[in-house]
Amino acid sequence: MDKLLIRGQKRLKGEVVISGAKNAALGILPAALLLSDVCTVENIPNILDIAILRRIMESLGAKFIDIDDYTLRVDATNVSSYVATGEDMHRFRGSYYLMGALLGRFKKAVVTFPGGCNFGSRPIDQHIKGFEALGAKVEIQHGHIKLSANKLTGANIYLDVVSVGATVNIMLAAVKAEGVTTIENAAKEPHIVDIANFLNAMGADIKGAGTDIIRIRGVKELKGNVVHSIIPDMIEAGTYMIAAAATRGDVLVKNVIPKHMESLSAKLVEMNVKIQEYDDSIRVWVKDRLSRANIKTLPYPGFPTDLQPPAAVLLLQAEGISTITESIFDNRFQYIDELKRMGAKARVEGRMAVIEGGSKLTGAPVKALDLRAGAACVLAGCVAEGVTEVSNVSYIDRGYERMVEKLNSLGADIRRVSDSDSA
Ligand code: UD1
């Protein structure tokens, strides 16, 4: 497997363009399966998760035409299979959206349990509760989830936990159900709004996406020939904003929606980082010493859990003791041990990481234990003295488009080598 060799202590400077949102694209492409027609999706990120999803959808009978590097025409006219049980399903979390999409289209689905990053138990009980409320029978056998319904009927569903995946999956299954579905305590992430906008453009009737109550009035048919452009990836944008600050650089992060970045921007300002927002870009630079801060992850519009590993690298550059409280996932601090190999002074106390700023990071061999943990290792490598070797790079490829090229264009010194090259 490939490794990254990062020569650190480089201040990142220049401009970086953010790609389309991974987590929106992972919902929008399966949503196209609800349609026996063609649609066009623009601003699709070129990442491994999307390549795998595309392969799965092709195995179901969907056809894809690459209009350009970032635009796909999806033709789901001849999709005939509702069985998605290959190894690919286990390779990423977003494969769970095939449950809602296939159930919505065929009233049945057989899918493999989703995989994805391992940061504790990641149950799907709220997805299942939603499908059952709509009238589906759900059986779990041999690692597969079997869903079937004679008909899907709108229902009131109160989510016991705010779940992005359950909110989207219920939306997908309910779009063509009979009657009205209400999701209460729904997640409010921007990509939920994006997926709802895509479905509405196809003729769905979804109101309230982006608030905690979403109402879906079922429609009989959806219409094709829709063109939809995916929103920018707020987690990728946040990663580059943090990278700029951690390296005491000066970066214009382009193609972002500044409103989506507010929880991070506010935290950066609190830490003495300079922020200038424009219509669709944000400049991030550092002039003064970085102040300590406490971060608590929360569902949107709170501080995103996906940005806490990169944020830890920034807190290591600040003066004093900072804390990160992880309130979404129960085991998302495994990467701290990797950072410790580089000299980080930090400890984990249950759901909290205590981070002592000001200690010097030095290059070391570290592992990308998951997607965002991998981003943290790369950022730490950019800051550290000497050479950092990051292994398990495919995790990073899953969700960051051309991360090495983008960082190198900002002045980082990162080389990708395969195991045989480095031997
Ligand atoms: C999605 C994102 C992931 C992000 C996370 C939180 C995708 C593909 N992944 O993951 O990048 O880190 O949102 O913003 O979009 N939960 C239950 N039962 C359920 C579902 C969730 O208890 O049925 C719990 C989870 O264990 C977690 C919390 O709810 O503690 C939030 O999880 P959820 O929002 O569902 O995350 P994912 O959809 O897995």
Side-chain angles (χ1 to χ4, degrees):
M1 208 192 280
D2 289 2
K3 285 182 181 166
L4 301 182
L5 297 181
I6 306 172
R7 193 169 291 280
Q9 291 189 315
K10 302 278 187 276
R11 289 190 170 185
L12 300 184
K13 287 190 174 160
E15 298 181 357
V16 63
V17 180
I18 298 308
S19 303
K22 165 176 101 63
N23 290 345
L26 289 175
I28 283 173
L29 294 180
L33 292 174
L34 289 167
L35 181 73
S36 294
D37 205 331
V38 179
C39 63
T40 303
V41 186
E42 300 172 341
N43 203 29
I44 295 188
N46 254 317
I47 52 173
L48 193 55
D49 274 8
I50 293 297
I52 301 170
L53 174 60
R54 177 174 169 165
R55 207 156 62 205
I56 296 171
M57 288 175 61
E58 279 169 343
S59 76
L60 299 172
K63 292 208 164 49
F64 290 87
I65 298 169
D66 293 273
I67 307 289
D68 60 41
D69 286 352
Y70 299 101
T71 309
L72 274 181
R73 186 162 296 154
V74 190
D75 183 353
T77 314
N78 295 319
V79 170
S80 54
S81 171
Y82 55 86
V83 181
T85 52
E87 196 32 44
D88 276 344
M89 288 291 288
H90 200 67
R91 293 180 62 190
F92 67 116
R93 190 79 195 152
S95 64
Y96 54 25
Y97 290 139
L98 289 161
M99 289 193 286
L102 292 172
L103 182 65
R105 176 164 178 152
F106 293 109
K107 313 271 179 293
K108 46 190 173 181
V110 182
V111 301
T112 303
F113 253 89
C117 296
N118 174 16
F119 21 79
S121 66
R122 297 180 76 179
I124 52 166
D125 56 303
Q126 299 302 305
H127 305 232
I128 289 174
K129 170 174 132 170
F131 298 143
E132 284 176 338
L134 297 173
K137 186 172 155 214
V138 183
E139 292 169 281
I140 296 175
Q141 283 172 354
H142 308 297
H144 298 154
I145 306 160
K146 289 185 172 180
L147 309 160
S148 58
N150 292 329
K151 78 172 187 179
L152 295 169
T153 314
N156 276 351
I157 300 159
Y158 183 92
L159 295 180
D160 300 330
V161 288
V162 179
S163 161
V164 172
T167 302
V168 172
N169 243 335
I170 296 168
M171 255 170 29
L172 292 172
V175 154
K176 289 166 77 180
E178 209 176 285
V180 178
T181 298
T182 308
I183 310 173
E184 290 185 62
N185 201 27
K188 297 183 277 203
E189 268 67 3
H191 54 278
I192 293 176
V193 181
D194 201 33
I195 296 166
N197 285 344
F198 173 65
L199 289 164
N200 282 343
M202 294 198 297
D205 183 353
I206 303 174
K207 295 200 169 74
T211 76
D212 56 8
I213 301 186
I214 301 180
R215 281 202 180 77
I216 306 142
R217 188 175 295 278
V219 295
K220 282 213 163 60
E221 279 308 320
L222 296 175
K223 62 177 171 40
N225 290 318
V226 164
V227 180
H228 179 83
S229 185
I230 290 178
I231 55 167
D233 195 310
M234 58 183 266
I235 305 301
E236 190 198 17
T239 304
Y240 286 100
M241 289 170 67
I242 292 169
T247 59
R248 301 187 65 81
D250 186 346
V251 174
L252 184 67
V253 184
K254 293 170 83 171
N255 186 34
V256 297
I257 298 175
K259 172 107 187 96
H260 295 170
M261 308 310 305
E262 270 175 359
S263 63
L264 173 63
S265 297
K267 199 47 76 178
L268 292 178
V269 168
E270 193 182 315
M271 292 184 70
N272 253 344
V273 177
K274 304 281 178 215
I275 299 275
Q276 176 72 51
E277 288 183 0
Y278 303 95
D279 285 350
D280 62 355
S281 58
I282 302 181
R283 181 181 163 208
V284 181
W285 74 107
V286 173
K287 265 170 70 186
D288 308 309
R289 285 167 186 266
L290 294 172
S291 313
R292 59 164 298 283
N294 295 333
I295 291 177
K296 183 174 185 184
T297 64
L298 287 168
Y300 187 84
F303 193 95
T305 173
D306 286 353
L307 284 179
Q308 68 94 338
V313 178
L314 178 62
L315 295 175
L316 283 165
Q317 311 310 306
E319 284 190 343
I321 296 183
S322 300
T323 62
I324 299 178
T325 305
E326 171 57 57
S327 68
I328 309 290
F329 293 109
D330 53 23
N331 189 15
R332 205 172 187 177
F333 285 127
Q334 297 166 75
Y335 69 89
I336 294 278
D337 279 341
E338 300 303 303
L339 298 182
K340 279 186 186 171
R341 286 176 210 277
M342 301 176 69
K345 290 201 180 115
R347 63 179 190 278
V348 178
E349 295 173 359
R351 287 282 187 113
M352 186 192 281
V354 179
I355 294 174
E356 277 183 50
S359 51
K360 191 169 175 183
L361 296 181
T362 50
V366 287
K367 226 185 212 167
L369 295 174
D370 62 57
L371 169 56
R372 310 301 171 186
C377 290
V378 172
L379 264 49
C382 290
V383 169
E385 182 193 300
V387 177
T388 299
E389 186 180 300
V390 182
S391 56
N392 265 16
V393 175
S394 62
Y395 262 124
I396 298 170
D397 297 336
R398 279 193 33 212
Y400 286 96
E401 180 177 321
R402 297 181 296 106
M403 189 182 215
V404 171
E405 286 87 335
K406 288 188 186 186
L407 284 170
N408 281 347
S409 77
L410 294 172
D413 180 350
I414 309 178
R415 206 154 53 86
R416 187 176 179 126
V417 291
S418 67
D419 261 348
S420 51
D421 294 336
S422 61

